[in-house]
Amino acid sequence: MEASRAKNIVHVTKYNWDNVRDLFISSFESCTFYAFDMEFSGLGDRQKLVYKDLEERYSHICGVIGSYSPLQIGFTFFKRTSMINESNKNQNNNGYFESITFNFWVFSHHDFQSSSDSMSFLCESGLDFNFLYTHAIRLHPKALPLPSNIQRRVNSNTKSTSQKSRPNFIN
């Protein structure tokens, strides 16, 4: 798979990160809101992923993060854009959202567990493991601090998150 930007999807690898970093940062800084998703090499006990108690579910997910490796990290940035009605250029309606997605190909620098069910699901969903292991960014815990402007925005968006047992990915 070639690193590409098709349909507003940017595949980020160790080979093109330097070229897309500024676009990623500017997209983050100018977005109205964003979504974040990760694909892992396993999920652990799936029964615990549906706990109704959010603290218990969160605690389980923190344990999964320590045992399994992220394989893809996705960010989609949405930006509200005004839309001008062509019949009346002075009339401005509710507008629409533009989006751009960054799909980071990653895996842990350290040994990690994998689940055969998760690997099968990812393979069936089109994840190219050859591409992953040859192009992915190797994750080193605490090695890549976020730029201060992004760190401030992340901190401001997570004030309500419980600080109890929250993993530290950023610092």
Side-chain angles (χ1 to χ4, degrees):
M1 169 183 272
E2 179 181 314
S4 65
R5 183 177 178 202
K7 298 181 184 177
N8 289 336
I9 299 173
V10 180
H11 290 279
V12 183
T13 70
K14 64 184 176 184
Y15 298 114
N16 70 352
W17 169 239
D18 289 338
N19 296 329
V20 300
R21 183 178 188 269
D22 290 341
L23 177 61
F24 177 81
I25 291 171
S26 67
S27 298
F28 180 80
E29 290 176 336
S30 66
C31 75
T32 307
F33 67 94
Y34 61 92
F36 170 82
D37 185 33
M38 297 175 78
E39 296 296 338
F40 282 88
S41 62
L43 298 173
D45 183 354
R46 284 186 167 81
Q47 299 275 339
K48 294 180 180 178
L49 292 174
V50 295
Y51 279 167
K52 292 190 189 244
D53 181 335
L54 292 180
E55 287 294 323
E56 288 181 34
R57 187 184 315 174
Y58 184 77
S59 179
H60 172 69
I61 291 170
C62 289
V64 166
I65 291 169
S67 302
Y68 297 93
S69 175
L71 302 177
Q72 288 186 323
I73 303 173
F75 294 89
T76 301
F77 302 113
F78 298 89
K79 183 176 183 179
R80 186 172 197 82
T81 304
S82 62
M83 185 168 71
I84 297 173
N85 185 330
E86 288 301 316
S87 63
N88 182 353
K89 297 220 182 248
N90 296 325
Q91 182 181 3
N92 193 343
N93 64 15
N94 291 331
Y96 62 99
F97 287 94
E98 293 178 347
S99 68
I100 185 167
T101 298
F102 293 85
N103 180 33
F104 287 80
W105 292 77
V106 299
F107 69 93
S108 177
H109 177 70
H110 302 290
D111 291 342
F112 57 88
Q113 294 180 13
S114 65
S115 158
S116 59
D117 287 344
S118 292
M119 294 292 115
S120 293
F121 169 78
L122 293 170
C123 190
E124 290 166 6
S125 299
L127 191 128
D128 182 345
F129 285 96
N130 288 326
F131 184 85
L132 174 73
Y133 286 109
T134 57
H135 291 76
I137 299 167
R138 301 284 304 266
L139 296 179
H140 299 267
K142 302 181 184 182
L144 299 171
L146 292 175
S148 60
N149 54 343
I150 292 179
Q151 181 65 59
R152 281 192 301 276
R153 185 157 181 190
V154 169
N155 289 344
S156 70
N157 288 339
T158 57
K159 286 180 182 174
S160 63
T161 302
S162 169
Q163 296 296 316
K164 184 175 88 176
S165 74
R166 189 168 119 196
N168 188 354
F169 297 110
I170 299 168
N171 292 330

